[in-house]
Amino acid sequence: MKTVGMIGIGMMGHGIATNVAKHGYPLVLLEHPGNQPLDALVKAGATKAPTIHDLAAVADVVILCVTGTPEVEDVLFRSDGLLNRLRPGTIVIDCSTAIPSSTQRIAAAVVKAGGKFIDAPMTRTPKEAAEGRLNLIVGGEKELFEECLPLLKSFAENITFAGPVGSGHRLKLLHNYVSLGFSAVLAEAAACAARAQVNPDVLVDVLAKGGGAGVILERLRPFIERGDASSFRFTLSNALKDMTYYDTMASELGASHATAAAIKDTYAGAYEANAGATVPELVALLADTEVSH
């Protein structure tokens, strides 16, 4: 089986790595202060690489699961980065959320260095990552996609081939815009309801029986009803990043994005008020704000 190198063992990356190892792939993990604890992965057979060059020397496939475009570019392009030691034929799979125009430049650089590239951003949460039930949206050459499919299936439940390189990241940003947009609208409505002293259980019941029903309501329901934010562990920092990326993509395409800009501003204001909060906590932050812009 191909040796898989992984860069970025955060909450999502840890779940991916766990399932890759569970399916028998030799796994090498880049040591980094931002990683989740690696003990369980090492016990499952994974090894650790102290540098990107050490990882590149043994990996047939490198999975990137880092925060966003600046981090992906840093991993690839810095002086001790992946491109400088990429072995011919190495496949780079970017599971991060990134700006598509950057993804296309990175893919071209990987190919020029003798490697292959697909973008495979994910949706769902750390819970599904741990269970091997992520959704993946893949951009790249169809033949390469099919070659990578057995590996992708080791940690994903639903896998969609989106088209050429960058298509995965475009669709991921579209998906997250809709998801985060719905979340912001619901949070603002719930905050207004709180000020109006509307019973939160009644609010949720009315929404669930009407036009507000859906995944986002179920994710925010525990916080609206009882202040429990554990059901949606997505930070305001990541929400603001994704909305900024969407805004950038829409601007580059010349697409309308006035609504997206307003939603981005909502997340920016909430992030400024509490940088460590998660999306469900947007309800409380908006309820405490005298004037929402």
Side-chain angles (χ1 to χ4, degrees):
M1 299 181 81
K2 293 182 184 295
T3 297
V4 177
M6 272 204 68
I7 298 175
I9 314 298
M11 287 194 296
M12 301 295 282
H14 196 281
I16 291 173
T18 298
N19 286 284
V20 168
K22 188 184 295 183
H23 282 75
Y25 288 91
L27 183 62
V28 184
L29 312 170
L30 179 68
E31 293 185 279
H32 189 275
N35 286 342
Q36 294 288 301
L38 302 181
D39 296 351
L41 292 170
V42 171
K43 188 176 181 180
T47 59
K48 295 186 283 187
T51 70
I52 292 175
H53 285 180
D54 292 318
L55 183 142
V58 297
D60 302 304
V61 180
V62 179
I63 297 176
L64 307 179
C65 191
V66 296
T67 303
T69 292
E71 291 77 14
V72 175
E73 292 180 349
D74 182 61
V75 165
L76 270 295
F77 294 123
R78 72 190 195 205
S79 60
D80 59 344
L82 191 58
L83 283 181
N84 285 338
R85 292 293 177 90
L86 199 68
R87 292 186 298 137
T90 299
I91 300 170
V92 178
I93 302 176
D94 183 11
C95 290
S96 313
T97 301
I99 298 170
S101 55
S102 172
T103 300
Q104 291 174 316
R105 291 194 298 270
I106 287 170
V110 169
V111 171
K112 186 176 180 180
K116 304 174 184 179
F117 181 94
I118 59 174
D119 49 302
M122 54 201 159
T123 66
R124 291 189 165 171
T125 70
K127 179 179 180 292
E128 285 85 19
E131 295 169 347
R133 297 178 50 246
L134 288 172
N135 295 334
L136 295 181
I137 314 164
V138 184
E141 294 182 0
K142 188 67 179 289
E143 185 177 339
L144 180 57
F145 164 71
E146 291 172 352
E147 180 183 346
C148 294
L149 203 50
L151 172 59
L152 300 179
K153 284 181 176 179
S154 74
F155 60 90
E157 180 178 38
N158 301 304
I159 303 171
T160 301
F161 179 69
V165 162
S167 299
H169 281 144
R170 286 195 188 93
L171 273 165
K172 169 64 184 292
L173 293 179
L174 287 162
H175 169 277
N176 278 24
Y177 167 45
V178 171
S179 176
L180 292 169
F182 285 179
S183 296
V185 168
L186 177 56
E188 192 168 86
C192 182
R195 289 210 166 204
Q197 299 183 329
V198 172
N199 184 308
D201 295 331
V202 175
L203 171 69
V204 168
D205 183 62
V206 169
L207 292 173
K209 291 175 179 175
V215 171
I216 300 304
L217 178 62
E218 295 311 309
R219 283 182 176 173
L220 268 63
R221 177 197 286 261
F223 191 88
I224 295 170
E225 290 181 334
R226 56 185 182 275
D228 178 6
S230 64
S231 62
F232 192 17
R233 294 163 57 199
F234 197 76
T235 64
L236 292 180
S237 173
N238 278 330
L240 178 56
K241 176 204 69 177
D242 289 359
M243 287 305 308
T244 301
Y245 286 3
Y246 179 85
D247 197 55
T248 299
M249 178 180 75
S251 295
E252 290 177 347
L253 293 170
S256 173
H257 57 111
T259 303
I263 293 167
K264 182 184 74 170
D265 287 346
T266 295
Y267 282 109
Y271 174 75
E272 186 176 338
N274 186 345
T278 58
V279 169
E281 293 171 286
L282 181 61
V283 175
L285 290 168
L286 293 176
D288 288 341
T289 302
E290 290 296 332
V291 180
S292 298
H293 297 285

